[in-house]
Structures are given as C-alpha cells and as structure tokens.
Amino acid sequence: MNRARIDGKVLEYEVRGAGEPVVLVHGSHIADAFAPLLAEPALTGRYRLVLYHRRGFAGSTRAEDPLSIAQQAADCHAFMQQLGIPRAHVVGHSYGGVIALQLALDAPDAVHSLALLEPALFMVPSAPQLFDAIGPVVQAYEAGDKTGAVDRFLQTVVGPEYRSVLDRVVPGAFAQAVADADTFFRIELPALEQWSFTQAEAGRITQPVLAVLGADSHTLWPGWVEVHNLVQAWLPRSEAFVLKGATHGLQMMNPQGMAAGLAGFFARHPMSERP
C-alpha cells in the first residue's frame, strides 16, 4: 500500500479506478472491510476509489488516547488534501459512518455526498440491548482474551458465520482485527461514548445521503432498522437502500450488490451538479 504522511502521522492507503473520487472510511476491527469493493467494475470503471487505514489499524500510525471522532474526521480531511482531493463522495461503514457525519459537519465543502452504511448511531431505543450483548465482549478483552473478544463482537454484529465470509473475501482480516483490538476497546469505544450527534446538527448536513441497511441485520439487532429510520428522519436529503443477503458485514457479504447501490447513488448525484 501507499503511505501518506500527515502532521507526523502515517496513513496507509490504496487507490483503484478513475473518475470522481470516492473516499472509503472503514469501521472498527476490520481495516480492509472495503477491500472487496476495489474489485467491483461497477465502481472502479467509473470512480476513483480511495481506501485508507485509519489511525490504529494495520500499518498506519498507532492510535493514542484520547483520539476523538472529530480528530478522526480531521485525519480524513487532511488525508484528502494530501492526495489533492478537495471534494469527494464519502462512504462510511459503522464507526466510519459517524466519522463521515462529523466530516460533513466540520468540512462540508469536502463532502459532495454521503453514503452511510449502518452508522454507529446508538441513540435509538434498542441501544441497551446491544450494550448488554457487548458487555461480555469487553469483559473478555479486559481479561486479556483479545481473540475471544474480537470473535464474540463480530458474531454479535455480523453473525455466527462471519469467519467464512472474512476468510473468503478479506483473507487475514481476523488476525489483523485481533492485532488492532486495542484501538477499538481502549480508544474508539470510549470516544464513541463521548461523541454526540443531535437532530439539529443533522439538519446542517445538506448533501445527498444514502442510508444503507442490511436486509438481514435486524435478525442480530433490531436497532439497525431504528438507525436506518433515524438517518432518513434526521437528514433532509436522504434516500434508502436495503442490501440483500447481508447483515452488518454489508459490502463484505454482498460486494456486487453494494457496488451497484453506491454506483447508482453517485450517478444520481454527480459532482458536476455541485450546488
């Protein structure tokens, strides 16, 4: 991968395709969760996909506490500037979704459109149910069992068969997730608890938004449907997309369907129509 140096930090990145830029902001645990999209011609044939590893993941600079979501958004913006990308379609998955939202608030001119793939917005009624499920995961991590903690977390949010998906489409992803576990448990989980996002702030985001929901995500946590509905209710220019055959693993579970949905959304909102 290529390496960008930003304010003393190093961020790994890869670029595939040509056309309007699309910046991919991954979630927690799986640094290469967007890698399957780099092989989809529906996107690479028309768009310039930019995948980068956030601080604390893979070969990028280690994350240090505190590292807020606003700082993560600033990293993304600085990274875009380093690559000469003044404005882009921004795609955020899970934790990356809240970073994308913060980027749209802090640097609105850098964001042409937003695709939010089940963003980690936990101000929904079913949030306590998810927190209860994650409790034993945190306990396993604190007991020193990083492998068990990552395994239980991914079973909770992606499903019991997640390893068969990862091993097929992102080989080595589980081992990398275990190596990066400290980033989630020590840095990102506390930062998410401290982050706030209100309906009034959402009203400031005027870019077109694609709200993505896995068709089967409700079987693991009903809150994903609540998050999907909240995005559509709060963000004035949102449109819905339900990805078949997927839970929270989304683009890893159905990359072709996700690529088609994203390509259609970008085509409906080309950068030539910048307001």
Side-chain angles (χ1 to χ4, degrees):
M1 299 188 74
N2 301 304
R3 295 164 70 84
R5 294 188 178 275
I6 302 164
D7 297 330
K9 303 179 292 290
V10 173
L11 298 181
E12 291 184 321
Y13 72 96
E14 183 175 358
V15 179
R16 194 75 59 85
E20 296 179 357
V22 177
V23 175
L24 305 169
V25 188
H26 66 81
S28 295
H29 290 291
I30 303 173
D32 284 320
F34 278 116
L37 294 186
L38 302 186
E40 292 297 328
L43 286 172
T44 58
R46 300 167 59 186
Y47 300 98
R48 178 189 178 198
L49 302 187
V50 182
L51 177 157
Y52 76 102
H53 291 156
R54 299 190 289 101
R55 267 196 270 178
F57 290 91
S60 291
T61 293
R62 292 292 87 191
E64 296 181 358
D65 186 27
L67 178 60
S68 68
I69 287 170
Q71 289 172 307
Q72 293 264 18
D75 277 359
C76 184
H77 189 209
F79 169 71
M80 291 171 60
Q81 293 176 315
Q82 179 81 2
L83 268 64
I85 301 173
R87 190 174 180 87
H89 301 285
V90 177
V91 183
H93 175 216
S94 193
Y95 199 97
V98 302
I99 294 171
L101 284 166
Q102 190 66 51
L103 178 64
L105 290 173
D106 295 345
D109 289 343
V111 179
H112 179 75
S113 72
L114 274 177
L116 301 175
L117 282 55
E118 295 189 347
L121 297 172
F122 296 144
M123 63 284 287
V124 294
S126 294
Q129 178 180 331
L130 181 63
F131 297 153
D132 287 345
I134 292 177
V137 174
V138 175
Q139 292 173 4
Y141 171 79
E142 291 176 343
D145 183 9
K146 293 183 182 181
T147 299
V150 172
D151 177 61
R152 293 180 70 167
F153 181 85
L154 293 175
Q155 286 194 51
T156 299
V157 298
V158 180
E161 304 301 322
Y162 80 90
R163 278 299 295 270
S164 63
V165 174
L166 285 188
D167 292 345
R168 184 178 72 253
V169 301
V170 194
F174 181 77
Q176 187 63 61
V178 173
D180 296 336
D182 290 344
T183 300
F184 175 70
F185 290 102
R186 294 185 181 178
I187 308 292
E188 298 201 333
L189 194 56
L192 186 60
E193 292 172 350
Q194 295 166 9
W195 183 71
S196 66
F197 182 68
T198 66
Q199 187 170 4
E201 288 174 314
R204 291 167 42 203
I205 297 175
T206 59
Q207 295 92 334
V209 175
L210 185 68
V212 179
L213 173 69
D216 302 321
S217 292
H218 69 280
T219 63
L220 298 173
W221 180 51
W224 291 125
V225 175
E226 297 169 356
V227 169
H228 187 63
N229 292 337
L230 182 145
V231 169
Q232 294 176 79
W234 280 16
L235 295 167
R237 295 186 62 192
S238 61
E239 51 192 86
F241 178 71
V242 178
L243 182 63
K244 296 179 180 179
T247 62
H248 193 58
L250 294 166
Q251 71 278 5
M252 293 177 287
M253 304 178 81
N254 184 358
Q256 184 175 23
M258 189 72 261
L262 289 172
F265 173 66
F266 301 150
R268 290 192 296 277
H269 304 284
M271 294 184 69
S272 60
E273 294 184 0
R274 177 177 176 174

